[in-house]
Structure formats: structure tokens, C-alpha cells
Amino acid sequence: MRFAFAADASSPFLDDLAAALAREIASRGHELFPGTSPERVPPDVDAVFNVTDARQPRPNFFRRSPSQFICTLAETASPGDDLRREAYRVLVKTMSNVVAYCVHDSGRPATYLVTPELGFRELPHGRELARRIAEQVLAIADVRFVIENDLVEDLPAELYGGDAATRSIARVGKKLDGLGLLPSVLPLDQILNERERRMLFALFGVKQLSYGNLSARRDGASFWMTGRGANKGRLQGVGRDILLVSGCDPERRAIRLSVPRGTDPTVRVSVDAIEHWGIYREFPAVGAILHVHAWLPGIDSTLQSYPCGTFELAEEVLALVRRAADPNNAVVGLRNHGITATGPDLDTIYERVVPRLERRVPMI
């Protein structure tokens, strides 16, 4: 992996931390691109450590693809009342995969690792800090994303209006939205200006931000799934908010979508399509899958906070479903993230799982 640093902020602590991280990661066989000026960072680096001012956070590297990994380093002397919100603001403003938010003025100085899925880990300050950050970042940086979409205008005309499965997705999506289980983490219009929102949505291929997803099997080779970032409370039709996944090309890391003629070429299916694809292929009796950012006590969980849309996360989730007492009616945890539930249909999953959910995902 090639990695680089880009900085618009400096302090003795951040300078020392960046230098220690560079040594630690290089010692593990990764190639450091020298220099810290943003204009000198080449476009083909795999990971960039973005050092910025927490008061005015900004990306110091033009991120050309969601598959490029960005870790932002920022610090604060006086954290406010909502540390998670502060750190998440830095993550969103810098369009990062993870933020290392360093807090000094507190009872126990520590750095907090924050991910878009609300992962939140405390690392106490000390000699081991750089090593521990490097271990956590490297575990999720060198992954294989499967988030590209191939739109093929071959959806049969009789499915343009959907079917019973798409109607169940819309119905259950509205229920979940009413319970507040499929929201965006924070109101982006209070964090980002219009230009920043456009850049964020363009990078990740979304028109808005709404977490969680629903899918329902159509037949042995395809399934319907909510679109990337679609508002689950207002799913507005096939080829827009609900898409038919009809294939996967592992070599190209692309999901095939069968869409109506004239479909907006910018629509994208949820990044978790690769996860659902694996479950439907291995378990023919699974008729639907639900993913929400909530928790069910006592469930088995993945061991790592892999990013959504990666082979690595999909493989861990599939392994957990495989080990469940009843894979066709399973509930498994995604570490620091949420749950994925299988069942014969979405209404059955909803009635079985949702009443027992805890809104707050435990951070491990």
C-alpha cells in the first residue's frame, strides 16, 4: 500500500503523532510518499493521512474515488458537551473513512477513532498511541470495495411498476422511518454548506444520506434493494429508489442492476449489495434482508469494523449467518455499526426483530 500525509495544521502533538504513524506504517512494509504538501500527493496513493484544524476541518487531498482511504487527524484542547458529534462533524467535513480525534483537556487525554458507521473507539494517550492507530487503520484501509454499478436497461416492462416484493420494501421502509431507525446520523444541512454537500454526494454516488437498507428476493438469481442513500420513508419507484440486483462481477468489483429504459444513469444501489448478494446465493430460503443501525443484545458480531461495501465485511457477515442456529431467520451484528437480519419476508423480519431492538449500538 502507498500512503502519504497532507496537512494544513501543525502542533507539537500532531507533528509527533504524524511522524510516529509514518514510521510505524512504513515498518510494516508499506511505502511512504514523502512530503506533506497537498499538491504533492499523487493521485494513485491508496491512503492519505489528512492533518487538519478541528475548528475549520477540510480535506487537504482531492479524493478521486471512494476506494481511496482517508484518515484525518485533528485535535481539540476543550471538547464540548457532545464529543461524538464534534468528531463526526470533522469526519463529514473532510470526507474521511476514519477520524482520529485527539482530546487533551479532559480527565483522561485520549484519541477517539470515529467511522461513518458510528464506530467510536477510545485510545488512551501514551507511547503506544501511534501503533494502536496504525493497527486500526491498516485493518480497514487495505480492503476491496465492491461499490461500482453496471446499469443494464433490460428490466422486463411488466416490472416497471414493481411487484409484491417492492411494495413490501416501501411498506416496511415507511414503518422503520417512522420509528427513526433509518435516519442520517446528523442533519447534514447543519454541518455542510451546499458546495460541500454536492461534493460529498458526488463522491459517494448518493443524492441524500439515509442509513440502513432493505432487500427482498425476486427469484433465484435476483433481488430488489433500496438505492444508495434513498429516503426509506419515501421510496418512489423502480429504477430510482428501489433497484433490481441481477448479477455481480467480482473481478471488476461491480454490481449489475437491471433497470427500466431511460433510467437516470447516476442511480446506485446500496453499498451493502455485495453482502446481500452473498446471503441470497448461499441460502435460497432467505426471502428478505433488513439492515438497521440499532442493536439486539446477545447476538454474535463481526470482529472488525470493515467499511460498508467491501468483500471483507460481506464475508464476515456471511460467516456469521452461516453459523447461526437458523441461517434463514438469523440476526447478526456488525461491530460498532448495527444488525443484519434474514427472514422469509420483510414483514416477518420486522415483527420478529424490531420490537426488541435497542436504538444505541454498543461501541466496542
Side-chain angles (χ1 to χ4, degrees):
M1 181 181 77
R2 298 184 76 201
F3 69 102
F5 285 78
D8 72 348
S10 178
S11 73
F13 182 87
L14 288 179
D15 293 347
D16 288 347
L17 179 58
L21 277 170
R23 291 193 299 269
E24 183 70 34
I25 295 173
S27 73
R28 297 166 185 253
H30 301 286
E31 179 186 356
L32 171 63
F33 187 86
T36 60
S37 59
E39 62 273 10
R40 293 198 61 223
V41 176
D44 60 343
V45 294
D46 302 295
V48 175
F49 287 84
N50 175 62
V51 186
T52 192
D53 187 336
R55 295 166 298 182
Q56 295 181 310
R58 61 185 291 268
N60 294 305
F61 170 70
F62 181 70
R63 187 176 179 181
R64 291 166 172 81
S65 166
S67 62
Q68 287 179 317
F69 192 92
I70 308 297
C71 174
T72 287
L73 309 179
E75 66 179 339
T76 180
S78 302
D81 296 332
D82 193 337
L83 181 59
R84 295 189 187 208
R85 186 183 183 94
E86 278 184 45
Y88 203 84
R89 172 181 174 272
V90 174
L91 182 141
V92 173
K93 293 278 281 189
T94 57
M95 293 184 247
S96 301
N97 297 90
V98 63
V99 163
Y101 196 61
C102 311
V103 177
H104 302 300
D105 184 15
S106 67
R108 49 180 188 181
T111 289
Y112 297 87
L113 298 184
V114 182
T115 70
E117 298 82 22
L118 284 188
F120 193 83
R121 298 184 184 182
E122 178 182 321
L123 303 179
H125 286 177
R127 295 177 59 186
E128 295 293 298
L129 179 61
R131 180 186 65 80
R132 296 184 68 185
I133 292 176
E135 288 177 346
Q136 296 294 329
V137 169
L138 290 175
I140 60 176
D142 192 16
V143 292
R144 297 163 293 166
F145 282 92
V146 190
I147 55 179
E148 298 298 324
N149 286 184
D150 291 333
L151 275 64
V152 183
E153 295 184 344
D154 64 350
L155 187 74
E158 60 269 22
L159 292 177
Y160 282 19
D163 59 12
T166 63
R167 289 189 286 276
S168 74
I169 290 174
R171 180 173 61 251
V172 175
K174 185 172 289 188
K175 288 183 182 179
L176 291 167
D177 184 67
L179 294 175
L181 289 174
L182 295 174
S184 60
V185 175
L186 295 173
L188 293 186
D189 57 354
Q190 297 179 18
I191 300 174
L192 305 178
N193 60 38
E194 185 176 349
R195 176 178 173 274
E196 291 168 333
R197 287 198 301 271
R198 286 201 305 268
M199 290 175 61
L200 178 70
F201 292 168
L203 175 64
F204 291 100
V206 299
K207 293 182 173 59
Q208 57 192 355
L209 201 61
S210 175
Y211 289 154
N213 48 68
L214 307 89
S215 70
R217 185 189 294 275
R218 177 178 173 262
D219 54 30
S222 63
F223 61 92
W224 299 101
M225 191 171 191
T226 47
R228 197 171 300 177
N231 183 335
K232 313 309 184 300
R234 295 198 305 273
L235 296 171
Q236 298 184 13
V238 170
R240 177 177 176 179
D241 296 329
I242 302 176
L243 299 156
L244 185 67
V245 176
S246 56
C248 176
D249 186 337
E251 291 187 3
R252 292 184 52 249
R253 302 183 188 179
I255 299 295
R256 185 187 193 276
L257 304 177
S258 292
V259 298
R261 291 183 181 276
T263 292
D264 178 353
T266 67
V267 299
R268 297 291 183 269
V269 75
S270 168
V271 295
D272 290 318
I274 183 61
E275 175 188 317
H276 293 220
W277 173 259
I279 294 172
Y280 283 124
R281 287 188 70 193
E282 184 159 337
F283 302 103
V286 170
I289 301 171
L290 171 66
H291 168 61
V292 292
H293 290 198
W295 199 252
L296 199 61
I299 59 177
D300 289 335
S301 173
T302 59
L303 299 178
Q304 184 55 264
S305 298
Y306 288 120
C308 296
T310 59
F311 271 118
E312 287 75 9
L313 179 60
E315 288 168 352
E316 277 215 26
V317 171
L318 182 57
L320 287 175
V321 173
R322 195 180 290 133
R323 293 200 300 267
D326 180 5
N328 300 319
N329 294 276
V331 182
V332 300
L334 283 66
R335 187 184 181 101
N336 299 333
H337 183 162
I339 62 110
T340 291
T342 66
D345 55 70
L346 286 168
D347 291 289
T348 299
I349 296 174
Y350 183 94
E351 296 299 330
R352 175 170 58 91
V353 174
V354 171
R356 299 185 289 139
L357 287 178
E358 293 182 354
R359 302 295 180 92
R360 192 174 185 84
V361 178
M363 297 302 163
I364 305 170

